[in-house]
Amino acid sequence: MVAKGDLLYAWAKDSAIQEKGETGGVITAMLKYMLESKMVDAVYAMKKGVDIYDAEPALITDPKDVIQTAGSLHCGTLLVPKQLTKCVLNAAPDMKIGVVVKGCDAMAMYEMAKRNQINLDNIVMIGVNCGGTVKPTMARKMIKEKFGVDPDTVVKEEIDKGQFIIQTADGKHKGISIDELEEQGYGRRGNCRRCKTKVPRQADLACGNWGVIGDKAGKATFVEVCSEKGAMALNKAIAAGAIESQPAPDKGKEIRGKVEGAMHKLADKWREKDFNSYGNGTERLQAIMKDTSRCIRCYACVENCPICYCTECSTKKPYFVPSGAIPPGFMFHLIRFTHVADSCINCGQCEELCPAEIDNAKIMHMVHKDVEAMFGYVPGVDMKLQVLGFAEEPEERKRLASTGTDQIFKIFKE
Ligand code: FAD
Ligand code: SF4
Ligand code: SF4
Ligand code: SF4
Ligand code: SF4
Protein backbone atom coordinates (compact mmCIF):
# COMPACT_ATOMS: atom_id res chain seq x y z
CA MET A 1 0.00 0.00 0.00
CA VAL A 2 1.29 3.47 -0.83
CA ALA A 3 0.75 6.33 1.62
CA LYS A 4 0.99 10.11 1.63
CA GLY A 5 4.66 11.11 1.50
CA ASP A 6 5.81 7.99 -0.40
CA LEU A 7 8.23 8.35 -3.31
CA LEU A 8 8.00 5.70 -5.99
CA TYR A 9 8.61 4.72 -9.57
CA ALA A 10 5.40 3.88 -11.43
CA TRP A 11 4.36 3.00 -14.96
CA ALA A 12 1.29 1.90 -16.92
CA LYS A 13 0.64 -1.82 -17.24
CA ASP A 14 -1.02 -1.36 -20.63
CA SER A 15 1.74 -1.51 -23.27
CA ALA A 16 0.05 0.97 -25.67
CA ILE A 17 -0.19 3.58 -22.89
CA GLN A 18 3.38 2.85 -21.79
CA GLU A 19 4.55 3.42 -25.36
CA LYS A 20 2.62 6.65 -25.95
CA GLY A 21 3.18 8.07 -22.44
CA GLU A 22 6.05 10.48 -21.89
CA THR A 23 7.83 8.32 -19.30
CA GLY A 24 5.88 5.08 -18.91
CA GLY A 25 2.37 6.53 -19.03
CA VAL A 26 1.41 6.36 -15.35
CA ILE A 27 -0.62 9.59 -15.63
CA THR A 28 -2.60 8.36 -18.61
CA ALA A 29 -3.20 4.99 -16.92
CA MET A 30 -4.33 6.77 -13.75
CA LEU A 31 -6.78 9.02 -15.65
CA LYS A 32 -8.17 6.06 -17.57
CA TYR A 33 -8.61 4.04 -14.38
CA MET A 34 -10.36 6.93 -12.61
CA LEU A 35 -12.87 7.17 -15.46
CA GLU A 36 -13.43 3.41 -15.74
CA SER A 37 -13.97 3.06 -12.00
CA LYS A 38 -16.29 6.11 -12.00
CA MET A 39 -14.09 7.82 -9.39
CA VAL A 40 -14.51 10.84 -11.70
CA ASP A 41 -17.12 11.79 -14.32
CA ALA A 42 -14.53 13.21 -16.72
CA VAL A 43 -10.85 13.92 -17.16
CA TYR A 44 -9.41 17.22 -18.33
CA ALA A 45 -5.98 17.06 -19.96
CA MET A 46 -4.00 18.34 -22.94
CA LYS A 47 -3.69 16.69 -26.31
CA LYS A 48 -1.72 17.58 -29.41
CA GLY A 49 -3.75 19.86 -31.67
CA VAL A 50 -2.80 20.76 -35.25
CA ASP A 51 0.92 20.45 -34.50
CA ILE A 52 3.38 20.02 -31.61
CA TYR A 53 3.11 23.74 -30.77
CA ASP A 54 -0.61 23.45 -30.21
CA ALA A 55 -1.71 22.01 -26.84
CA GLU A 56 -5.44 21.56 -26.96
CA PRO A 57 -7.47 21.08 -23.76
CA ALA A 58 -9.73 18.03 -23.87
CA LEU A 59 -12.66 17.04 -21.65
CA ILE A 60 -12.91 13.28 -21.93
CA THR A 61 -15.62 10.98 -20.64
CA ASP A 62 -14.88 7.79 -22.62
CA PRO A 63 -11.92 5.87 -21.08
CA LYS A 64 -10.74 4.65 -24.49
CA ASP A 65 -10.10 8.26 -25.59
CA VAL A 66 -7.76 9.08 -22.70
CA ILE A 67 -4.72 7.75 -24.58
CA GLN A 68 -5.06 10.72 -26.96
CA THR A 69 -3.75 12.93 -24.15
CA ALA A 70 -0.56 10.95 -23.42
CA GLY A 71 2.76 12.80 -23.77
CA SER A 72 4.20 16.15 -22.64
CA LEU A 73 3.64 19.32 -24.66
CA HIS A 74 6.20 21.94 -23.63
CA CYS A 75 4.48 24.64 -25.68
CA GLY A 76 1.27 24.13 -23.69
CA THR A 77 1.14 27.40 -21.76
CA LEU A 78 -2.58 27.49 -21.02
CA LEU A 79 -3.69 27.98 -17.40
CA VAL A 80 -5.79 24.87 -16.87
CA PRO A 81 -8.12 25.82 -13.94
CA LYS A 82 -9.28 29.12 -15.46
CA GLN A 83 -10.13 27.38 -18.73
CA LEU A 84 -11.74 24.46 -16.90
CA THR A 85 -13.98 26.85 -14.98
CA LYS A 86 -14.96 28.92 -18.00
CA CYS A 87 -15.61 25.99 -20.33
CA VAL A 88 -16.81 23.22 -18.02
CA LEU A 89 -17.47 24.02 -14.35
CA ASN A 90 -19.60 27.11 -14.94
CA ALA A 91 -22.02 24.85 -16.80
CA ALA A 92 -21.52 21.70 -14.71
CA PRO A 93 -20.40 22.79 -11.22
CA ASP A 94 -20.88 19.37 -9.59
CA MET A 95 -18.92 17.37 -12.15
CA LYS A 96 -16.11 15.30 -10.59
CA ILE A 97 -12.98 15.70 -12.67
CA GLY A 98 -9.46 14.27 -12.82
CA VAL A 99 -7.22 17.13 -13.99
CA VAL A 100 -3.56 17.21 -15.03
CA VAL A 101 -1.85 20.29 -13.61
CA LYS A 102 1.48 22.05 -13.84
CA GLY A 103 2.73 23.92 -10.75
CA CYS A 104 1.06 27.19 -11.74
CA ASP A 105 -2.20 25.32 -12.44
CA ALA A 106 -2.11 23.71 -8.98
CA MET A 107 -1.51 27.09 -7.34
CA ALA A 108 -4.36 28.64 -9.34
CA MET A 109 -6.64 25.80 -8.20
CA TYR A 110 -6.10 26.81 -4.56
CA GLU A 111 -6.53 30.54 -5.16
CA MET A 112 -9.68 29.97 -7.21
CA ALA A 113 -11.04 27.58 -4.58
CA LYS A 114 -10.64 30.31 -1.93
CA ARG A 115 -12.75 32.56 -4.12
CA ASN A 116 -15.47 29.90 -4.55
CA GLN A 117 -14.62 29.41 -8.21
CA ILE A 118 -13.67 25.74 -7.86
CA ASN A 119 -14.69 23.04 -5.39
CA LEU A 120 -11.53 21.05 -4.69
CA ASP A 121 -13.61 18.19 -3.24
CA ASN A 122 -14.67 17.44 -6.82
CA ILE A 123 -11.17 17.50 -8.27
CA VAL A 124 -8.36 14.94 -8.35
CA MET A 125 -5.19 16.81 -9.27
CA ILE A 126 -2.47 14.85 -11.03
CA GLY A 127 0.56 17.12 -11.09
CA VAL A 128 3.44 17.18 -13.56
CA ASN A 129 6.85 18.44 -12.47
CA CYS A 130 7.55 21.40 -14.66
CA GLY A 131 10.86 22.89 -15.74
CA GLY A 132 9.02 25.42 -17.89
CA THR A 133 7.01 26.01 -21.02
CA VAL A 134 7.87 27.81 -24.24
CA LYS A 135 5.44 30.13 -25.98
CA PRO A 136 4.46 28.54 -29.35
CA THR A 137 5.55 31.58 -31.38
CA MET A 138 8.88 31.61 -29.53
CA ALA A 139 9.38 27.86 -30.14
CA ARG A 140 8.89 28.34 -33.88
CA LYS A 141 11.23 31.34 -34.00
CA MET A 142 13.88 29.54 -31.91
CA ILE A 143 13.75 26.37 -34.00
CA LYS A 144 14.09 28.37 -37.21
CA GLU A 145 16.77 30.81 -36.07
CA LYS A 146 18.84 28.78 -33.58
CA PHE A 147 18.34 25.19 -34.75
CA GLY A 148 18.28 26.10 -38.45
CA VAL A 149 15.29 23.80 -38.91
CA ASP A 150 11.88 24.41 -40.50
CA PRO A 151 9.49 24.34 -37.48
CA ASP A 152 6.85 22.53 -39.55
CA THR A 153 9.16 19.51 -39.96
CA VAL A 154 9.50 18.96 -36.19
CA VAL A 155 7.49 15.99 -34.94
CA LYS A 156 8.51 15.96 -31.27
CA GLU A 157 10.09 18.32 -28.78
CA GLU A 158 11.36 17.56 -25.30
CA ILE A 159 13.30 19.16 -22.50
CA ASP A 160 15.92 16.81 -21.07
CA LYS A 161 19.12 17.29 -19.06
CA GLY A 162 18.99 21.05 -19.47
CA GLN A 163 18.54 20.91 -23.25
CA PHE A 164 15.64 21.77 -25.56
CA ILE A 165 15.64 18.85 -28.00
CA ILE A 166 13.78 18.52 -31.28
CA GLN A 167 13.16 15.52 -33.47
CA THR A 168 12.41 15.96 -37.18
CA ALA A 169 10.29 13.72 -39.41
CA ASP A 170 13.48 12.00 -40.72
CA GLY A 171 14.24 10.75 -37.16
CA LYS A 172 17.13 13.19 -36.52
CA HIS A 173 17.57 14.79 -33.07
CA LYS A 174 19.11 18.14 -32.26
CA GLY A 175 19.49 19.70 -28.79
CA ILE A 176 20.71 23.07 -27.53
CA SER A 177 21.31 24.02 -23.90
CA ILE A 178 18.44 26.04 -22.44
CA ASP A 179 20.92 28.32 -20.64
CA GLU A 180 22.52 29.18 -23.98
CA LEU A 181 19.15 29.77 -25.63
CA GLU A 182 17.95 31.99 -22.78
CA GLU A 183 21.12 34.05 -22.64
CA GLN A 184 20.33 34.93 -26.26
CA GLY A 185 16.69 35.86 -25.59
CA TYR A 186 15.07 32.55 -26.63
CA GLY A 187 13.66 29.77 -24.46
CA ARG A 188 11.09 29.51 -21.69
CA ARG A 189 8.53 32.16 -20.78
CA GLY A 190 9.80 34.79 -18.36
CA ASN A 191 7.47 33.64 -15.56
CA CYS A 192 8.67 30.02 -15.99
CA ARG A 193 12.28 31.13 -15.55
CA ARG A 194 11.31 32.72 -12.22
CA CYS A 195 9.01 29.86 -11.13
CA LYS A 196 9.90 27.72 -8.13
CA THR A 197 6.88 25.40 -8.18
CA LYS A 198 8.82 22.77 -10.09
CA VAL A 199 7.34 19.84 -8.16
CA PRO A 200 3.62 20.55 -7.64
CA ARG A 201 3.17 19.18 -4.13
CA GLN A 202 -0.20 20.99 -3.91
CA ALA A 203 -1.57 18.32 -6.26
CA ASP A 204 -2.66 14.87 -5.10
CA LEU A 205 0.22 13.23 -6.97
CA ALA A 206 3.35 14.92 -8.35
CA CYS A 207 4.80 13.10 -11.37
CA GLY A 208 8.03 13.66 -13.28
CA ASN A 209 11.14 12.21 -14.83
CA TRP A 210 13.75 13.70 -12.50
CA GLY A 211 15.39 10.97 -10.42
CA VAL A 212 14.39 8.02 -12.60
CA ILE A 213 17.65 6.11 -13.14
CA GLY A 214 18.98 2.73 -14.26
CA ASP A 215 16.86 0.46 -16.44
CA LYS A 216 13.74 2.44 -15.59
CA ALA A 217 15.07 5.73 -17.03
CA GLY A 218 12.57 6.97 -19.63
CA LYS A 219 10.24 4.04 -18.89
CA ALA A 220 8.88 4.99 -15.46
CA THR A 221 7.69 8.13 -13.71
CA PHE A 222 8.90 9.36 -10.33
CA VAL A 223 5.72 9.83 -8.29
CA GLU A 224 5.47 11.75 -5.02
CA VAL A 225 2.25 10.95 -3.19
CA CYS A 226 1.15 14.35 -1.86
CA SER A 227 -2.26 13.72 -0.28
CA GLU A 228 -4.47 11.03 1.22
CA LYS A 229 -6.71 11.41 -1.83
CA GLY A 230 -3.72 10.76 -4.12
CA ALA A 231 -2.70 7.69 -2.08
CA MET A 232 -6.23 6.30 -2.17
CA ALA A 233 -6.57 6.78 -5.94
CA LEU A 234 -3.15 5.30 -6.66
CA ASN A 235 -3.72 2.28 -4.39
CA LYS A 236 -6.98 1.53 -6.18
CA ALA A 237 -5.35 1.84 -9.61
CA ILE A 238 -2.53 -0.49 -8.54
CA ALA A 239 -4.99 -3.00 -7.04
CA ALA A 240 -7.02 -2.95 -10.28
CA GLY A 241 -3.88 -3.79 -12.28
CA ALA A 242 -3.74 -0.48 -14.20
CA ILE A 243 -0.41 0.64 -12.73
CA GLU A 244 2.80 -1.05 -11.54
CA SER A 245 5.18 0.52 -9.05
CA GLN A 246 8.27 0.06 -6.92
CA PRO A 247 9.88 2.24 -4.23
CA ALA A 248 12.20 4.91 -5.64
CA PRO A 249 15.88 4.13 -4.90
CA ASP A 250 17.82 6.46 -2.58
CA LYS A 251 20.13 7.53 -5.41
CA GLY A 252 17.11 8.53 -7.53
CA LYS A 253 15.66 10.56 -4.64
CA GLU A 254 18.99 12.31 -4.18
CA ILE A 255 19.29 13.20 -7.87
CA ARG A 256 15.71 14.51 -7.98
CA GLY A 257 16.37 16.68 -4.91
CA LYS A 258 19.54 18.09 -6.43
CA VAL A 259 17.89 18.97 -9.74
CA GLU A 260 14.99 20.67 -7.97
CA GLY A 261 17.48 22.65 -5.86
CA ALA A 262 19.42 23.71 -8.96
CA MET A 263 16.19 24.87 -10.64
CA HIS A 264 15.35 26.99 -7.59
CA LYS A 265 18.76 28.64 -7.72
CA LEU A 266 18.28 29.39 -11.40
CA ALA A 267 14.84 30.88 -10.63
CA ASP A 268 16.43 33.12 -7.96
CA LYS A 269 18.92 34.34 -10.54
CA TRP A 270 16.14 35.25 -12.97
CA ARG A 271 14.08 36.94 -10.24
CA GLU A 272 17.00 39.11 -9.30
CA LYS A 273 17.71 40.03 -12.90
CA ASP A 274 14.07 40.71 -13.82
CA PHE A 275 13.11 42.61 -10.68
CA ASN A 276 16.28 44.71 -10.62
CA SER A 277 15.53 45.89 -14.15
CA TYR A 278 12.62 47.91 -12.68
CA GLY A 279 14.67 49.70 -10.01
CA ASN A 280 13.03 50.85 -6.79
CA GLY A 281 10.57 53.45 -5.45
CA THR A 282 9.67 56.27 -7.82
CA GLU A 283 11.91 54.89 -10.54
CA ARG A 284 9.98 51.60 -10.42
CA LEU A 285 6.61 53.35 -10.47
CA GLN A 286 7.65 55.45 -13.46
CA ALA A 287 8.86 52.36 -15.34
CA ILE A 288 5.55 50.57 -14.65
CA MET A 289 3.55 53.64 -15.75
CA LYS A 290 5.58 53.87 -18.96
CA ASP A 291 5.12 50.15 -19.76
CA THR A 292 1.39 50.15 -19.10
CA SER A 293 0.80 53.31 -21.17
CA ARG A 294 0.70 51.03 -24.27
CA CYS A 295 -2.48 49.32 -23.00
CA ILE A 296 -5.33 48.97 -25.50
CA ARG A 297 -7.86 47.98 -22.82
CA CYS A 298 -8.65 44.56 -24.24
CA TYR A 299 -9.21 43.05 -20.73
CA ALA A 300 -7.26 39.88 -21.62
CA CYS A 301 -5.27 40.31 -18.40
CA VAL A 302 -8.46 40.46 -16.33
CA GLU A 303 -10.19 37.65 -18.25
CA ASN A 304 -7.32 35.19 -17.87
CA CYS A 305 -6.00 35.93 -14.40
CA PRO A 306 -6.97 33.23 -11.89
CA ILE A 307 -7.20 35.87 -9.15
CA CYS A 308 -9.63 38.06 -11.14
CA TYR A 309 -13.06 36.57 -10.72
CA CYS A 310 -15.52 39.41 -10.04
CA THR A 311 -18.72 39.56 -12.05
CA GLU A 312 -18.53 43.36 -11.79
CA CYS A 313 -14.94 44.43 -12.38
CA SER A 314 -13.94 47.79 -10.87
CA THR A 315 -11.88 48.59 -13.98
CA LYS A 316 -15.21 48.81 -15.84
CA LYS A 317 -16.74 51.36 -13.45
CA PRO A 318 -16.75 54.76 -15.20
CA TYR A 319 -16.17 56.61 -11.94
CA PHE A 320 -12.80 54.82 -11.65
CA VAL A 321 -11.78 54.49 -15.30
CA PRO A 322 -13.46 56.81 -17.84
CA SER A 323 -15.49 54.84 -20.42
CA GLY A 324 -14.01 54.54 -23.88
CA ALA A 325 -10.58 55.93 -23.00
CA ILE A 326 -7.71 54.19 -24.79
CA PRO A 327 -5.19 53.90 -23.27
CA PRO A 328 -7.32 53.68 -20.17
CA GLY A 329 -4.96 55.57 -17.87
CA PHE A 330 -2.93 54.27 -14.96
CA MET A 331 -5.95 53.87 -12.65
CA PHE A 332 -7.00 50.80 -14.70
CA HIS A 333 -3.71 49.06 -13.90
CA LEU A 334 -3.51 50.38 -10.38
CA ILE A 335 -6.87 48.80 -9.59
CA ARG A 336 -5.95 45.43 -11.04
CA PHE A 337 -2.45 45.37 -9.61
CA THR A 338 -3.76 46.31 -6.15
CA HIS A 339 -6.48 43.67 -6.21
CA VAL A 340 -4.14 40.93 -7.33
CA ALA A 341 -0.88 41.89 -5.58
CA ASP A 342 -1.33 39.68 -2.51
CA SER A 343 -2.22 36.54 -4.48
CA CYS A 344 -0.38 36.64 -7.83
CA ILE A 345 0.91 33.13 -8.53
CA ASN A 346 3.18 34.14 -11.44
CA CYS A 347 1.28 32.05 -13.99
CA GLY A 348 2.22 34.44 -16.80
CA GLN A 349 -1.20 34.62 -18.49
CA CYS A 350 -1.58 38.40 -18.17
CA GLU A 351 1.71 38.89 -19.96
CA GLU A 352 1.57 36.16 -22.57
CA LEU A 353 -1.91 37.17 -23.72
CA CYS A 354 -1.36 40.93 -23.63
CA PRO A 355 -1.48 42.24 -27.24
CA ALA A 356 0.47 45.33 -26.18
CA GLU A 357 3.31 43.13 -24.87
CA ILE A 358 3.26 44.73 -21.45
CA ASP A 359 5.35 42.80 -18.90
CA ASN A 360 2.32 42.40 -16.64
CA ALA A 361 3.43 39.15 -14.98
CA LYS A 362 6.94 40.43 -14.34
CA ILE A 363 5.50 43.57 -12.72
CA MET A 364 2.94 41.65 -10.69
CA HIS A 365 5.38 38.95 -9.55
CA MET A 366 7.83 41.63 -8.43
CA VAL A 367 5.18 43.59 -6.51
CA HIS A 368 3.73 40.40 -5.03
CA LYS A 369 7.10 39.38 -3.61
CA ASP A 370 7.25 42.70 -1.71
CA VAL A 371 3.68 42.20 -0.43
CA GLU A 372 4.53 38.62 0.58
CA ALA A 373 7.54 39.86 2.56
CA MET A 374 5.32 42.43 4.30
CA PHE A 375 2.33 40.21 5.20
CA GLY A 376 3.78 36.69 5.09
CA TYR A 377 0.96 35.42 2.87
CA VAL A 378 2.16 32.82 0.33
CA PRO A 379 -0.46 32.20 -2.38
CA GLY A 380 -1.24 28.88 -4.02
CA VAL A 381 0.09 26.54 -1.36
CA ASP A 382 -2.89 25.89 0.89
CA MET A 383 -6.39 27.15 1.72
CA LYS A 384 -5.22 29.90 4.10
CA LEU A 385 -7.19 33.08 3.30
CA GLN A 386 -5.51 35.80 1.28
CA VAL A 387 -4.50 39.14 2.82
CA LEU A 388 -7.35 41.07 1.22
CA GLY A 389 -9.79 38.40 2.42
CA PHE A 390 -9.30 39.68 5.95
CA ALA A 391 -10.33 43.21 4.96
CA GLU A 392 -13.91 42.12 4.42
CA GLU A 393 -16.50 42.13 7.16
CA PRO A 394 -18.36 38.79 7.52
CA GLU A 395 -21.53 40.34 6.13
CA GLU A 396 -19.68 41.74 3.15
CA ARG A 397 -17.97 38.40 2.63
CA LYS A 398 -21.38 36.69 2.46
CA ARG A 399 -22.62 39.22 -0.09
CA LEU A 400 -19.41 38.89 -2.10
CA ALA A 401 -19.80 35.12 -2.23
CA SER A 402 -23.43 35.33 -3.36
CA THR A 403 -23.14 38.19 -5.87
CA GLY A 404 -19.53 38.07 -7.03
CA THR A 405 -19.35 41.85 -6.95
CA ASP A 406 -16.14 43.34 -5.61
CA GLN A 407 -17.84 46.46 -4.34
CA ILE A 408 -17.00 45.68 -0.76
CA PHE A 409 -18.19 48.99 0.63
CA LYS A 410 -20.93 50.84 -1.25
CA ILE A 411 -19.26 54.23 -1.20
CA PHE A 412 -19.96 55.05 -4.81
CA LYS A 413 -23.38 55.34 -6.39
CA GLU A 414 -23.96 53.57 -9.74
P1 FAD B 1 1.73 10.75 -19.63
O1 FAD B 1 0.98 9.49 -19.36
O2 FAD B 1 2.40 10.91 -20.95
O3 FAD B 1 0.74 11.96 -19.37
C1 FAD B 1 1.19 13.27 -19.47
C2 FAD B 1 0.03 14.16 -19.10
O4 FAD B 1 0.47 15.51 -19.14
C3 FAD B 1 -1.12 14.04 -20.07
O5 FAD B 1 -2.31 13.88 -19.35
C4 FAD B 1 -1.11 15.38 -20.80
O6 FAD B 1 -2.41 15.79 -21.16
C5 FAD B 1 -0.52 16.30 -19.77
N1 FAD B 1 0.13 17.45 -20.36
C6 FAD B 1 0.96 17.47 -21.44
N2 FAD B 1 1.38 18.71 -21.68
C7 FAD B 1 0.77 19.50 -20.76
C8 FAD B 1 0.79 20.88 -20.51
N3 FAD B 1 1.54 21.70 -21.24
N4 FAD B 1 0.05 21.38 -19.50
C9 FAD B 1 -0.72 20.55 -18.73
N5 FAD B 1 -0.75 19.22 -18.92
C10 FAD B 1 -0.03 18.71 -19.92
N6 FAD B 1 9.24 16.28 -15.30
C11 FAD B 1 10.39 16.48 -14.64
O7 FAD B 1 10.79 15.64 -13.82
N7 FAD B 1 11.13 17.61 -14.87
C12 FAD B 1 10.72 18.59 -15.73
O8 FAD B 1 11.41 19.61 -15.90
C13 FAD B 1 9.48 18.43 -16.38
N8 FAD B 1 9.00 19.41 -17.20
C14 FAD B 1 7.75 19.26 -17.76
C15 FAD B 1 7.19 20.32 -18.48
C16 FAD B 1 5.92 20.19 -19.03
C17 FAD B 1 5.32 21.34 -19.77
C18 FAD B 1 5.19 18.99 -18.86
C19 FAD B 1 3.81 18.84 -19.45
C20 FAD B 1 5.74 17.93 -18.16
C21 FAD B 1 7.01 18.06 -17.58
N9 FAD B 1 7.57 17.04 -16.80
C22 FAD B 1 8.77 17.21 -16.15
C23 FAD B 1 6.82 15.80 -16.55
C24 FAD B 1 7.18 14.70 -17.55
O9 FAD B 1 7.39 15.21 -18.83
C25 FAD B 1 6.04 13.67 -17.63
O10 FAD B 1 4.81 14.33 -17.83
C26 FAD B 1 5.93 12.87 -16.35
O11 FAD B 1 7.15 12.17 -16.15
C27 FAD B 1 4.77 11.87 -16.43
O12 FAD B 1 5.00 10.99 -17.46
P2 FAD B 1 3.85 9.98 -17.88
O13 FAD B 1 4.39 9.08 -18.93
O14 FAD B 1 3.28 9.36 -16.66
O15 FAD B 1 2.79 10.99 -18.48
FE1 SF4 C 1 5.75 25.30 -15.33
FE2 SF4 C 1 6.11 27.12 -13.41
FE3 SF4 C 1 6.01 27.81 -15.98
FE4 SF4 C 1 3.81 27.00 -14.74
S1 SF4 C 1 4.99 28.85 -14.32
S2 SF4 C 1 4.45 26.40 -16.81
S3 SF4 C 1 4.68 25.44 -13.39
S4 SF4 C 1 7.57 26.55 -14.97
FE1 SF4 D 1 -1.07 35.15 -13.36
FE2 SF4 D 1 -0.78 37.69 -14.07
FE3 SF4 D 1 -2.78 36.98 -12.50
FE4 SF4 D 1 -0.26 36.96 -11.57
S1 SF4 D 1 -1.44 38.75 -12.22
S2 SF4 D 1 -1.80 35.38 -11.27
S3 SF4 D 1 0.85 36.32 -13.42
S4 SF4 D 1 -2.48 36.34 -14.64
FE1 SF4 E 1 -9.78 41.57 -11.01
FE2 SF4 E 1 -10.20 43.62 -9.38
FE3 SF4 E 1 -11.58 43.39 -11.65
FE4 SF4 E 1 -12.06 41.74 -9.62
S1 SF4 E 1 -12.38 43.94 -9.66
S2 SF4 E 1 -11.86 41.16 -11.79
S3 SF4 E 1 -9.99 41.45 -8.80
S4 SF4 E 1 -9.38 43.75 -11.45
FE1 SF4 F 1 -4.13 46.33 -21.45
FE2 SF4 F 1 -2.59 44.25 -21.99
FE3 SF4 F 1 -4.44 44.05 -20.09
FE4 SF4 F 1 -5.15 44.18 -22.67
S1 SF4 F 1 -3.99 42.53 -21.67
S2 SF4 F 1 -6.06 45.32 -20.98
S3 SF4 F 1 -3.60 45.58 -23.49
S4 SF4 F 1 -2.62 45.38 -20.07
Side-chain angles (χ1 to χ4, degrees):
M1 294 282 275
V2 298
K4 182 180 167 187
D6 281 357
L7 302 171
L8 40 114
Y9 285 178
W11 57 94
K13 216 158 175 189
D14 179 297
S15 56
I17 295 180
Q18 229 182 73
E19 178 68 21
K20 185 140 191 282
E22 189 72 13
T23 54
V26 72
I27 294 183
T28 306
M30 189 75 213
L31 296 174
K32 184 164 183 269
Y33 167 75
M34 290 197 297
L35 260 186
E36 279 167 347
S37 63
K38 305 209 183 315
M39 195 184 292
V40 294
D41 304 315
V43 303
Y44 194 77
M46 296 292 150
K47 64 178 185 182
K48 194 176 104 179
V50 289
D51 55 35
I52 57 146
Y53 311 100
D54 179 29
E56 196 180 279
L59 181 76
I60 294 176
T61 50
D62 186 340
K64 77 169 167 24
D65 293 338
V66 176
I67 196 165
Q68 295 167 8
T69 63
S72 296
L73 295 160
H74 296 94
C75 298
T77 56
L78 190 98
L79 190 73
V80 171
K82 188 85 188 196
Q83 211 63 25
L84 175 68
T85 309
K86 278 188 193 170
C87 302
V88 181
L89 295 177
N90 283 348
D94 296 325
M95 192 181 249
K96 289 193 168 41
I97 307 189
V99 189
V100 182
V101 293
K102 306 178 291 299
C104 48
D105 298 322
M107 292 174 93
M109 285 276 190
Y110 278 86
E111 288 308 309
M112 290 175 71
K114 285 173 205 176
R115 292 161 176 81
N116 293 331
Q117 303 300 295
I118 282 181
N119 178 359
L120 290 183
D121 289 343
N122 287 340
I123 307 279
V124 182
M125 270 193 263
I126 313 281
V128 284
N129 293 359
C130 185
T133 48
V134 183
K135 208 172 155 176
T137 45
M138 166 57 77
R140 285 183 163 275
K141 182 175 151 72
M142 180 168 89
I143 289 168
K144 188 164 174 230
E145 293 175 5
K146 282 295 293 174
F147 288 72
V149 169
D150 175 357
D152 287 325
T153 64
V154 177
V155 291
K156 170 117 184 97
E157 50 68 35
E158 59 183 312
I159 297 181
D160 193 25
K161 297 191 179 68
Q163 287 202 322
F164 186 81
I165 302 166
I166 56 168
Q167 186 192 332
T168 38
D170 54 10
K172 287 191 182 136
H173 289 80
K174 190 168 182 180
I176 301 182
S177 134
I178 291 189
D179 281 349
E180 183 189 328
L181 290 166
E182 290 182 353
E183 285 306 326
Q184 294 171 22
Y186 300 94
R188 298 168 300 161
R189 296 183 297 161
N191 63 304
C192 293
R193 297 176 193 185
R194 298 188 301 270
C195 170
K196 285 187 170 184
T197 315
K198 300 299 180 192
V199 178
R201 297 187 173 90
Q202 299 90 330
D204 295 303
L205 300 171
C207 307
N209 52 17
W210 291 337
V212 184
I213 52 172
D215 62 349
K216 287 282 179 252
K219 299 190 183 111
T221 296
F222 195 118
V223 181
E224 180 166 344
V225 183
C226 305
S227 72
E228 308 288 349
K229 197 197 278 184
M232 181 272 291
L234 190 54
N235 275 321
K236 286 189 173 177
I238 292 170
I243 286 169
E244 286 186 310
S245 70
Q246 66 183 51
D250 289 344
K251 188 75 193 159
K253 292 180 200 168
E254 188 191 324
I255 291 172
R256 178 175 178 262
K258 278 191 179 156
V259 183
E260 190 184 1
M263 294 301 288
H264 283 196
K265 275 197 188 145
L266 188 61
D268 280 331
K269 195 191 91 179
W270 278 112
R271 285 178 187 202
E272 201 184 334
K273 190 173 177 204
D274 282 0
F275 300 166
N276 284 349
S277 70
Y278 273 90
N280 277 311
T282 311
E283 188 193 354
R284 178 186 283 189
L285 180 63
Q286 280 169 348
I288 295 174
M289 288 177 82
K290 184 165 177 253
D291 267 10
T292 52
S293 66
R294 297 195 301 274
C295 176
I296 58 161
R297 202 180 191 167
C298 70
Y299 294 104
C301 49
V302 176
E303 288 292 325
N304 293 287
C305 175
I307 313 302
C308 281
Y309 69 104
C310 312
T311 49
E312 290 177 39
C313 178
S314 297
T315 64
K316 293 182 182 167
K317 309 272 181 199
Y319 43 77
F320 286 140
V321 184
S323 306
I326 296 176
F330 192 55
M331 185 54 110
F332 175 96
H333 305 281
L334 201 57
I335 291 171
R336 204 185 87 80
F337 290 162
T338 312
H339 290 187
V340 174
D342 66 338
S343 302
C344 170
I345 51 141
N346 182 40
C347 70
Q349 299 300 309
C350 57
E351 185 169 312
E352 176 165 358
L353 299 168
C354 175
E357 300 192 338
I358 296 166
D359 288 341
N360 281 311
K362 188 168 21 172
I363 295 169
M364 215 53 262
H365 193 198
M366 170 178 68
V367 174
H368 164 71
K369 283 293 153 199
D370 284 351
V371 175
E372 188 181 297
M374 275 185 248
F375 295 97
Y377 173 69
V378 184
V381 290
D382 53 30
M383 285 299 282
K384 196 175 138 196
L385 276 183
Q386 68 275 26
V387 179
L388 291 179
F390 291 108
E392 298 155 16
E393 296 300 323
E395 203 181 311
E396 288 299 326
R397 175 177 293 289
K398 207 168 132 206
R399 190 181 54 75
L400 180 67
S402 60
T403 63
T405 169
D406 71 303
Q407 294 297 284
I408 294 167
F409 302 106
K410 283 266 176 210
I411 52 173
F412 295 98
K413 288 205 164 60
E414 291 292 326

